[in-house]
Amino acid sequence: MRCLRDIPSERLMVECAACRRRGSYRLDRLTARYGEFAELRAFLAQMRERCGQLPCQAHLVVPMRLDLDRTAEKSNRFDLDIWTSETTIEMKLGQVWNFDVAAAAFDRAVTLWPHSIMTVRLGAQVMRAHNPGEHEARAAQHAIFSRLGLR
């Protein structure tokens, strides 16, 4: 995406981490004011000039347009779970019918509970897994191999 006409949404958002400023702009108004070929870098530069913090950390956020015509099949239900062990579910985080959404929720859950065993499953098939104990075991094994000169 280089210019306003390339944005696949009805809105464009600007967020600044430094001053916590947020703005949401309707694309039709922006194109009426700046033209559909206005470059996104120039628009962002204008927003950064208005920021009270230096250096400004503003960035553009383009919301994805949802494809509501695609129907989700109920048979493709992805389960997000936290496990107490490799055989017992401690908590069901949710059920999602889109793998991309399930993967994003899984990634966020891993950042919230990094020491928990988590999975995204389609029925019995594990699509994504996070097992911190397994990661630590691999790291220890790698360290031993490195000391022995095997890697």
Side-chain angles (χ1 to χ4, degrees):
M1 286 184 288
R2 299 184 62 159
C3 56
L4 289 174
R5 77 177 205 150
D6 297 335
I7 295 176
S9 179
E10 295 175 4
R11 299 194 80 73
L12 177 64
M13 292 181 277
V14 179
E15 295 180 353
C16 180
C19 68
R20 300 193 187 274
R21 180 176 157 214
R22 291 181 177 192
S24 178
Y25 303 90
R26 287 183 33 189
L27 199 59
D28 58 347
R29 288 185 180 175
L30 290 176
T31 54
R33 184 173 181 180
Y34 298 105
E36 65 180 304
F37 293 102
E39 290 198 16
L40 292 176
R41 288 181 188 226
F43 177 74
L44 183 59
Q46 274 189 337
M47 294 295 113
R48 286 182 173 169
E49 287 174 7
R50 298 180 192 166
C51 185
Q53 298 290 320
L54 292 175
C56 178
Q57 298 176 15
H59 61 277
L60 299 176
V61 179
V62 180
M64 291 177 52
R65 182 174 293 179
L66 294 176
D67 185 3
L68 298 177
D69 293 332
R70 280 181 41 192
T71 57
E73 294 181 30
K74 295 293 183 188
S75 61
N76 291 338
R77 184 188 75 206
F78 297 95
D79 295 308
L80 286 81
D81 301 312
I82 294 180
W83 299 74
T84 54
S85 66
E86 293 186 11
T87 57
T88 308
I89 295 175
E90 178 181 358
M91 182 186 342
K92 293 191 104 13
L93 296 176
Q95 298 173 336
V96 182
W97 283 265
N98 180 298
F99 179 72
D100 294 331
V101 175
F106 174 81
D107 292 340
R108 180 64 177 140
V110 168
T111 62
L112 292 173
W113 300 291
H115 303 293
S116 298
I117 300 170
M118 285 182 235
T119 60
V120 172
R121 294 177 298 116
L122 176 61
Q125 181 182 6
V126 176
M127 307 300 286
R128 303 256 320 255
H130 172 73
N131 188 340
E134 182 180 312
H135 177 71
E136 292 165 4
R138 285 185 185 164
Q141 183 182 32
H142 180 70
I144 291 170
F145 287 161
S146 295
R147 276 186 256 146
L148 295 173
L150 298 175
R151 277 204 170 182

